[in-house]
Amino acid sequence: MRSDRMKKGLERAPHRSLFKALGLTDEEIERPMIGIANSANEVIPGHLHLHQLSEAVKAGIRMAGGTPLEFFTIGICDGIIMGHEGMKYSLSSRELIADSIESMAMAYPFDGLVLIPNCDKIIPGMMMAAARLNIPTILISGGPMLSGNFQGKEIDLITVFEWVGKVKTGAMTLTELKEAEGCACPGVGSCAGMFTANSMNCLAEVLGLALPYNGTIPAVLADRIRLAKKSGIQIMDLVKKNLTPSKILTKKSFENAITVDMAFGGSTNTSLHLPAIAKEAGLKLPLQTFNQMSDRTPHLCNMSPAGPHHIQDLHRAGGIPALMKELSDGGLIHPDPMTVTGKKVKENLKGKEILNPQVIRSLEKPYHPTGGLAFLFGNLAPQGAVVKQSAVDETMLKHRGPARVFNSEEEAIKVILDGKIRRGEVIVIRYEGPKGGPGMREMLAPTSAIVGIGRDRDVALLTDGRFSGGSRGAAIGHISPEAAEGGPIAVVRNGDPIEIDIPGRKLNLLISNEELKRRLSQWKPPQKELKGYLKRYARLVTSANTGATFEE
């Protein structure tokens, strides 16, 4: 066993003495030792209940003859840190989480790992660590939050963000907003729509690192506790068989993940996280692969923020297994990748079926003929940009308008909420990329404000930063190279005509090549006073087209 390095033999008597100080018996020390990386905390509603899940995981491990040893990671809530300096620490925390799990699992050579994340960057950070370490690993998430109810209407966190704009325009009262904020998030779990957290928790299933229904069983259901126990039992089987992430995370499993992502209309942030996980697994996942998968994959689920359905609806409709079975029947899913069930994808999908054809549509009746995300290229985004096309109004799929340029999110949000954005304009928010922010802040506040003031059908927003999985409208992010690296977005000027062609996968600044080259030759990077982790992060991180990973 891997853990024998720290517990077996004469020389390890002092080590065993320390384990006994934990209260472990000789029998417990002799058994396989399973590390539990738990991101429980009292700051994120999606993580408040993870101690309970961890206890269930431990019960499963003990039932199967192992010894669980729990440790903790940090966790940051994108909703709470949205719109202020704290957001710079969201994406950057992904690397910290991966590094911290690597540190623990190398310092203590566990025989296996159980990962317990739930929100945003914690999930991909943990999966990056799993790929890097390549020891038997299983992931069990905390599960999605239920949707709220406001005056008979299902709502979620994004609704509240968007209704801030309604109050600004007088379409809603402060009293109504106060009532909505009290019921939009009714309890624990990751926010209820197909936002980043739920997208990644669902894709953990598809990649094969989590048991079926990991992404959709609501956080408050007893089924979630039972799934945690099953995950604890299953990690012991993975240890016995030495079924490691390298045998699960293959090119085909990533292609399956992208296909399902396109079918359920996932967060644009998946295009950051999947390439980052793939890199740790020794694989390359260029943005062109996402476009190829999107072009061939129908959009079958109309989830919030684009549509009316929430994660509990997807679960009742058969969950990710039912969606994968429909895609598999159409030849869109690779059947042979191995999963943590100990079985191949095709075996996991036997007998699965769609239980609600409105929530999961058939291939013959899709919501849209192509996938939920599109990746654009052109002289404004030579290395790519991303948009959730399933959440864009049809009138904005093709758009040409004058640029309105801002060098920070704060500058833009003030102008938007003051009602000073004109019809047809293309808002450009730059120096918010991985290096320029630093930390690549999400722009949920600006996109929600645009929706709230009713301009999502005639105004576009471009940024080298990110968008929340809850953003909708013609919101195009991850523009690469970013402004801080001298990308063309750095030299856009107010009034410059910009052309957006989402069906044609194009994003262009309509000035001459000579003028663009002249501006770029005169550009100088702005200087920011940085310290601490963000200073180190900015020095190492690369643009979004790489997954915002660190330089080698």
Side-chain angles (χ1 to χ4, degrees), residues 34 78 81 97 106 112 117 131 144 179 264 392 405 500 532:
I34 308 300
D78 280 31
I81 67 170
I97 290 163
M106 293 304 293
E179 182 185 346
F264 63 45
V392 179
V405 182
I500 299 166

Side-chain angles (χ1 to χ4, degrees), residues 263-339:
F264 63 45
S267 165
T268 52
N269 287 312
T270 59
S271 66
L272 286 175
H273 301 321
L274 289 175
I277 299 165
K279 180 181 177 182
E280 297 289 355
L283 301 169
K284 290 185 178 180
L285 207 59
L287 294 183
Q288 287 82 353
T289 303
F290 285 80
N291 262 346
Q292 292 165 8
M293 300 292 109
S294 182
D295 288 343
R296 72 177 193 137
T297 306
H299 178 220
L300 303 183
C301 302
N302 201 17
M303 311 293 295
S304 174
H309 301 131
H310 292 88
I311 304 299
Q312 74 251 25
D313 302 314
L314 178 59
H315 184 63
R316 293 178 189 133
I320 297 303
L323 175 59
M324 289 184 71
K325 181 63 164 58
E326 180 67 17
L327 294 167
S328 179
D329 288 346
L332 298 175
I333 290 290
H334 297 295
D336 293 329
M338 183 58 69
T339 72

